[in-house]
Amino acid sequence: MTFAPAPIPSRTQYVLEAIKHAILTAQLQPGQALVETELAAQFGVSKTPVREALKTLAGTGLVVMSQYKGATVRLVDATMAREVYDVRLLLEPEALRRSITRKASLEAAQEALERADSAIDKADRSLANRDFHRALYLPCGNPLLARMLDEIRDQAALVSTVAWSAIPSWEREAAEHREILRLALADDATAAAAALHDHIASFVRRAFPDDEDGGDTA
């Protein structure tokens, strides 16, 4: 007998999405305390849905739960960023290669790219960029591979939020996205995967350079 996970109650889901959005748009900063009573008052709910939402966010890596400090927004440092992006480098280009090989539709990626280009603020552009990357790997034909990338999606977005606050690089990344999609739509799986690999690697290298790189911004 198999058991499906119980659905998250609507109030908890509402609080969860609101807190996640605040974290990923830098309204809540890394290291900031997440006080249950304050959040409950802000959202007009009891502490229970807040507590459950924070537990879920801790499971996705956006929140850290401590017996003594309570819940805080996860801090982002170079080690954390490189670990998350190393997983992306290992998995995401291969997922894209498989999506292209399967002749999967990339219409969702095109739509997300257009939304990013027309975004009126940083939050909308960030969400559109996340959707663009997901649209590339989701149709790879391996649900487990897609789920593995989904599991680090929020952590990667948190890294991006912190990095963009220090080094705005929207235009460069948008140009790289357009080139990746161009190659994908041309059915050049090898070149598209390589371009995606370079895109991910160069971002984390710019944002969190190794000391020995001397601040490489290539």
Side-chain angles (χ1 to χ4, degrees), residues 48-63:
T48 299
V50 173
R51 186 177 302 115
E52 293 305 313
L54 292 177
K55 288 179 180 178
T56 300
L57 291 169
T60 66
L62 290 184
V63 168

Side-chain angles (χ1 to χ4, degrees), residues 60-211:
T60 66
L62 290 184
V63 168
V64 175
M65 306 286 283
S66 168
Q67 181 179 355
Y68 303 103
K69 295 182 179 180
T72 57
V73 180
R74 182 173 183 176
L75 290 169
V76 174
D77 58 19
T79 298
M80 178 268 197
R82 292 181 191 129
E83 287 175 353
V84 171
Y85 273 66
D86 186 44
V87 175
R88 290 187 66 191
L89 284 169
L90 290 170
L91 300 181
E92 202 167 323
E94 174 60 18
L96 172 59
R97 187 190 68 77
R98 294 186 180 200
S99 294
I100 297 169
T101 302
R102 297 180 67 243
K103 307 292 185 182
S105 172
L106 296 176
E107 184 177 346
Q110 179 68 59
E111 189 272 337
L113 188 59
E114 292 170 358
R115 282 195 288 115
D117 287 341
S118 61
I120 60 175
D121 59 31
K122 183 168 64 175
D124 287 343
R125 187 178 291 117
S126 177
L127 292 171
N129 282 346
R130 294 178 68 207
D131 290 343
F132 171 79
H133 279 274
R134 189 169 191 263
L136 296 179
Y137 69 69
L138 195 61
C140 68
N142 185 327
L144 178 57
L145 175 56
R147 283 199 301 273
M148 291 172 70
L149 285 164
D150 271 350
E151 286 176 2
I152 62 167
R153 189 167 176 246
D154 286 346
Q155 294 179 61
L158 180 59
V159 171
S160 298
T161 297
V162 171
W164 286 324
S165 296
I167 308 174
S169 52
W170 298 106
E171 293 183 0
R172 174 172 179 165
E173 285 142 31
E176 292 171 354
H177 284 175
R178 285 190 285 271
E179 177 62 10
I180 292 165
L181 185 59
R182 184 190 70 79
L183 293 168
L185 293 175
D187 292 330
D188 194 336
T190 299
L196 178 58
H197 185 282
D198 290 345
H199 167 70
I200 296 170
S202 64
F203 178 85
V204 75
R205 190 166 60 244
R206 288 194 304 273
F208 299 93
D210 288 321
D211 292 340

